[in-house]
Amino acid sequence: MTKNRLEAFSDGVLAIIITIMVLELKIPHGTDWASLQSVLPFFLSYVLSFIYLAIYWNNHHHMLHTVKHVTGSILWANMHLLFWLSLIPFGTGWMAENHFAPIPVALYGINLLMAAISYFILQRIILRIDGNDSLLAKAIGKDIKGKISPVLYLIAIICSFFNQWVAGAIYVFVALMWLVPDSRIERTIYDDNHSANLK
Amino acid sequence: MTKNRLEAFSDGVLAIIITIMVLELKIPHGTDWASLQSVLPFFLSYVLSFIYLAIYWNNHHHMLHTVKHVTGSILWANMHLLFWLSLIPFGTGWMAENHFAPIPVALYGINLLMAAISYFILQRIILRIDGNDSLLAKAIGKDIKGKISPVLYLIAIICSFFNQWVAGAIYVFVALMWLVPDSRIERTIYDDNHSANLK
Amino acid sequence: MTKNRLEAFSDGVLAIIITIMVLELKIPHGTDWASLQSVLPFFLSYVLSFIYLAIYWNNHHHMLHTVKHVTGSILWANMHLLFWLSLIPFGTGWMAENHFAPIPVALYGINLLMAAISYFILQRIILRIDGNDSLLAKAIGKDIKGKISPVLYLIAIICSFFNQWVAGAIYVFVALMWLVPDSRIERTIYDDNHSANLK
Amino acid sequence: MTKNRLEAFSDGVLAIIITIMVLELKIPHGTDWASLQSVLPFFLSYVLSFIYLAIYWNNHHHMLHTVKHVTGSILWANMHLLFWLSLIPFGTGWMAENHFAPIPVALYGINLLMAAISYFILQRIILRIDGNDSLLAKAIGKDIKGKISPVLYLIAIICSFFNQWVAGAIYVFVALMWLVPDSRIERTIYDDNHSANLK
């Protein structure tokens, strides 16, 4: 019951964040392709942020799937994650409106970094409660993606002051890295479920 | 459990898209019927997009009803569909603000086309996983509506550069085509449920 | 399952409508009580619309509680109701921004009237499917409130062209009429549930 | 069933309020750190309001967890609470846009006070229905936090006309007071659940 409501609330917040972002796509005044082109930086930023939020929803979904006991610290670590994710539409809009100027690109990276850290904290807390033999511990394994991502965000933030396109390329790369299906993890979780169901 | 959360998230996003669109209905400054009339293109576009989103919700609902195993590819194909649907308020607003100018009308059709393609991809993936003997396969049958719609959108997109009203009429026609209850499909799904419940 | 998703989607849309309305409460520029006073018409209209939407959620909740079979016609009648409710923030904003000018006040009434009619249609369809001996039929009884409300809206719409304050008073009166707990209905539904649970 | 839908609706409204607030974070026009600094008052107010809404969600969650019978009066007391919470984005925006001017700071406190009162009413009604031996009664105990908070809000409202920073400090203090985990309450509820499950 408790877990259901935590999931429902997180789903609600993520669904709203992902959809509210589209309000930054301001309707252009002209009616030709050129005026549509002025929306292009917004569109590209929107696609990137949409994918990031979708990845977070997806991973969050799998992680909470394994949780057995919802404690106060899980509730608050989850709120902390939602807080940083809720700022993504702002970061996306500032970056797009200024055609990927250095500081907005760096801020976008800081936002992604904070979200990654808060996700890591949430994961730590769940692991501490459910134990290292838990389903989640097995599923994550060495969590290489989770450890590389913050490092890459940090590199991108520094890069953005020299060449913001390199920073942008790193953001795209990290997104693609997560998009590639991590079949091993999914198998661990669902196999376990399956065998649990068979018992 | 997994399926419930996928449905809940999709419902959330669709509910927000359908409701956020109404924010494009800008409050007119005058207080007479004439100033209300200036909102008419927005109102008509809103009605059309509302119906399209309602149809998608309805069909999405029936399709997911038949899904047994939610895989990573279903999650991502679903996200892809939600992405294109999330752009409908933007397309609706641009079309309405410019009183159905050719390019905005064409873009609206492109948006509908992309949504139809992403829905088709999602359906394909579900069919591939659940098999051709599945409930969904039986329910869809030859899927004539699903195959005609993209063709009609394409024709409408081309039409919009010559006469945008013909394009608009095609959009209305496709919506009406889907609105007409497809009693055969509903029967297949619910009969099956019914007999399953009887067992 | 199907019913759950219909409820969840309706809840989502109603939650968004009720909350989006607050965005019409534009932040005043000054920092004194006078500038806060300029928000008063918005605040009063917001309170009224909030109560109306809360009543609709409440009644909708009780009505769907009794539904056993969700059919395509119920889905579409429900969408029709949500459509008219989704226009309430627009009507509220136009009425408030023009300090209750006649035509905006009339339009607000038309919106309420259409919502009432669409609610009535949804109720009819559910009754037709579940039968006149159904829980809903017993709970509604003669449905006096449901029959008086549209008549009062109509009177208010006509009034608004002569004296809009009379129209406003009627809107407030109808809201209060629904707010008064209808203990008989609640008892019918919950008693029945209770006795069902006891069996 | 009824309780689930009440929780789902409340979650939806709270998720939207918490996320809509971020729309007040207007995108700055410059691209330097200075222009980002202009967003600082909004950011700080956003953090504070986010924490308050998260606390409300958390407590609401625990409180409804104990409810057995959802009556009409609970539904309406809950709506009343959601109404005051829905005004928080407005209060937050007005306070931030005017760099914490006295009257906006006082209004923010009035809003918090009204939310606290409506929460208290909801709690009273639930206690009256479920009885003083109920789980909630045990969990709340003397409810010291719940009784001190309105008093502190009142002091802060008065303070804001002399020194608004003292008022702000009180708002932060109350939030921190609630943030500190109230392990005793959580234990009462979950222990009880646990022993209930063991039976």
Side-chain angles (χ1 to χ4, degrees), chain C residues 51-52 54-56 58-59 62 144-146 149 171-187, chain D residues 71-73 75-76:
Chain C
I51 291 173
Y52 265 111
I55 291 168
Y56 269 104
N58 219 334
N59 291 350
H62 284 312
I144 294 165
K145 282 182 186 178
S149 300
Y171 300 152
V172 171
F173 172 78
V174 176
L176 290 177
M177 185 179 82
W178 283 100
L179 263 179
V180 172
D182 204 338
S183 61
R184 183 179 51 79
I185 291 180
E186 215 172 272
R187 218 180 317 126
Chain D
T71 62
S73 50
L75 288 178
W76 281 106

Side-chain angles (χ1 to χ4, degrees), chain A residues 102-122:
Chain A
I103 295 180
V105 170
L107 188 80
Y108 189 77
I110 293 170
N111 200 340
L112 290 178
L113 178 63
M114 295 310 293
I117 291 172
S118 60
Y119 187 86
F120 185 77
I121 293 172
L122 176 57

Side-chain angles (χ1 to χ4, degrees), chain D residues 49-172:
Chain D
S49 296
F50 190 98
I51 291 173
Y52 264 111
L53 288 166
I55 291 168
Y56 270 104
W57 180 77
N58 220 333
N59 291 350
H60 188 262
H61 175 92
H62 284 313
M63 182 160 65
L64 281 192
H65 193 73
T66 68
V67 170
K68 279 183 204 120
H69 310 288
V70 177
T71 62
S73 50
I74 290 179
L75 288 178
W76 281 106
N78 192 57
M79 281 292 178
H80 182 226
L81 172 62
L82 294 179
F83 175 77
W84 291 110
L85 293 178
S86 79
L87 290 173
I88 286 195
F90 173 79
T92 307
W94 200 38
M95 186 169 74
E97 199 165 84
N98 298 293
H99 297 75
F100 308 101
I103 295 181
V105 170
L107 188 80
Y108 189 77
I110 294 169
N111 200 340
L112 289 178
L113 179 62
M114 296 310 293
I117 291 172
S118 59
Y119 188 86
F120 185 77
I121 293 172
L122 176 56
Q123 192 175 274
R124 279 281 102 192
I125 290 173
I126 293 175
L127 281 178
R128 210 183 50 205
I129 292 166
D130 280 3
N132 282 315
D133 297 333
S134 69
L135 200 53
L136 182 61
K138 272 185 267 171
I140 296 171
K142 292 183 180 163
D143 193 21
I144 294 165
K145 281 182 186 177
K147 279 168 189 155
I148 287 178
S149 300
V151 177
L152 289 174
Y153 294 144
L154 257 176
I155 294 171
I157 292 165
I158 296 162
C159 278
S160 62
F161 294 102
F162 302 101
N163 186 329
Q164 66 267 50
W165 303 107
V166 174
I170 296 175
Y171 300 152
V172 171

